[in-house]
Amino acid sequence: MPIPELEKSIIKGVIQKDKVVVDGVEIDGTWNAFLMERTQTGYDPTVWDEIANTLEGYTISACWQCGTCTSGCTMREYDPNYGPRKFIDLARKGDKQGLIELQNSIWRCVSCQKCTHRCPKGVLVEEVVHAIHNYLHKHGLVKKDPGTIFDELFLETVMKNGGRISELTLGAASAKAGFVSLGVKDLIMMSGAMLRSGLIKELMKPSKVKNWDRVKKVLEEAMKEEVRPE
Ligand code: SF4
Ligand code: SF4
């Protein structure tokens, strides 16, 4: 296949002669093109191992880079920089810089699982993407993204309120994460609606969900760092 004109400047070290004869067979420029051997530096080989040893990321090694996940990804439609195949490739190479440059995209997974259902190699793609994202956070390589800010506030609310959330606290969490903007007028309207519906009492003194002690233990366990069992 000829190298597209647009890609020639990107692909470095391409050698291509007008004519080469191999065993009496003439091969023209397109068919004798090859890449110069090159050494790439700055990659960290421990990234792949660390991700493959987490509960979420243990299927990362099975990926064969076909791109099926990216081609059907929900988020890809909204963000052209978003691509599970690319995230996996960069993580396995240990290209931290490449992943850092995509930090405004990588957190956006909506967990729709289309990628995982379609993967021909059984990679749990959605989980692997989260494992890569978690790796970046754990090592302090990226700033806290809106999704994580929201998740933390959501969980904090649930833990404080005996397993319950309220419209007001959820609204505040969404606003802090930057998902919505709430003005004074919105807050007054929400408060009025809560007063009328009686929800304000629930906000002041929330009742716990059934079996809260057991639910709390499960949540606390889930919040601990996940490490793949040997
Ligand atoms: S569909 Fe599966 S094998 Fe193909 S690139 Fe995505 S994760 Fe890798
Ligand atoms: S789960 Fe995430 S990565 Fe997979 S298709 Fe949905 S948005 Fe894309």
Side-chain angles (χ1 to χ4, degrees):
M1 196 173 100
I3 298 166
E5 270 313 309
L6 276 173
E7 290 182 14
K8 281 188 177 160
S9 60
I10 305 167
I11 304 170
K12 309 277 185 228
V14 178
I15 294 187
Q16 185 175 297
K17 298 191 174 173
D18 286 344
K19 289 279 176 222
V20 171
V21 179
V22 178
D23 290 340
V25 180
E26 250 189 34
I27 304 171
D28 72 15
T30 296
W31 295 102
N32 69 48
F34 62 94
L35 289 173
M36 287 283 289
E37 186 180 330
R38 62 197 188 278
T39 305
Q40 293 179 315
T41 55
Y43 292 171
D44 179 352
T46 65
V47 180
W48 185 346
D49 281 349
E50 190 172 325
I51 291 168
N53 275 294
T54 60
L55 273 177
E56 286 183 312
Y58 77 97
T59 57
I60 190 173
S61 305
C63 172
W64 64 6
Q65 290 288 293
C66 66
T68 306
C69 50
T70 298
S71 66
C73 173
T74 305
M75 190 40 67
R76 174 79 170 185
E77 200 181 324
Y78 300 96
D79 179 355
N81 287 323
Y82 191 95
R85 184 210 61 77
K86 181 163 54 181
F87 301 149
I88 291 173
D89 180 42
L90 293 169
R92 294 201 308 198
K93 281 182 193 154
D95 187 350
K96 290 183 195 171
Q97 191 50 43
L99 288 169
I100 291 167
E101 282 165 19
L102 292 168
Q103 66 176 292
N104 290 329
S105 296
I106 197 165
W107 66 273
R108 292 174 180 267
C109 175
V110 292
S111 297
C112 64
Q113 301 290 358
K114 284 200 302 201
C115 50
T116 298
H117 284 294
R118 290 172 181 175
C119 175
K121 292 285 285 174
V123 178
L124 302 176
V125 190
E126 181 262 356
E127 295 194 10
V128 169
V129 170
H130 285 293
I132 297 169
H133 184 215
N134 287 343
Y135 173 91
L136 296 171
H137 263 293
K138 187 177 154 199
H139 290 273
L141 298 171
V142 293
K143 64 180 184 327
K144 205 176 269 185
D145 55 86
T148 305
I149 294 170
F150 179 83
D151 289 349
E152 285 178 359
L153 286 166
F154 183 89
L155 200 56
E156 201 182 299
T157 307
V158 168
M159 296 305 272
K160 270 190 196 156
N161 294 341
R164 295 194 188 278
I165 53 163
S166 75
E167 285 81 352
L168 201 61
T169 48
L170 206 55
S174 305
K176 191 163 181 194
F179 293 150
V180 293
S181 53
L182 284 179
V184 177
K185 199 174 153 199
D186 301 311
L187 288 171
I188 292 170
M189 274 177 64
M190 279 173 77
S191 305
M194 288 180 83
L195 269 172
R196 285 192 298 280
S197 66
L199 276 173
I200 199 80
K201 281 188 213 149
E202 200 51 43
L203 183 67
M204 304 309 283
K205 200 174 175 199
S207 58
K208 294 187 172 103
V209 295
K210 205 173 159 192
N211 294 326
W212 169 235
D213 288 340
R214 282 170 60 196
V215 175
K216 191 178 175 190
K217 271 191 196 145
V218 172
L219 289 173
E220 283 170 348
E221 200 58 37
M223 283 189 282
K224 287 182 191 161
E225 190 182 356
E226 288 182 327
V227 179
R228 189 184 174 199
E230 291 301 321

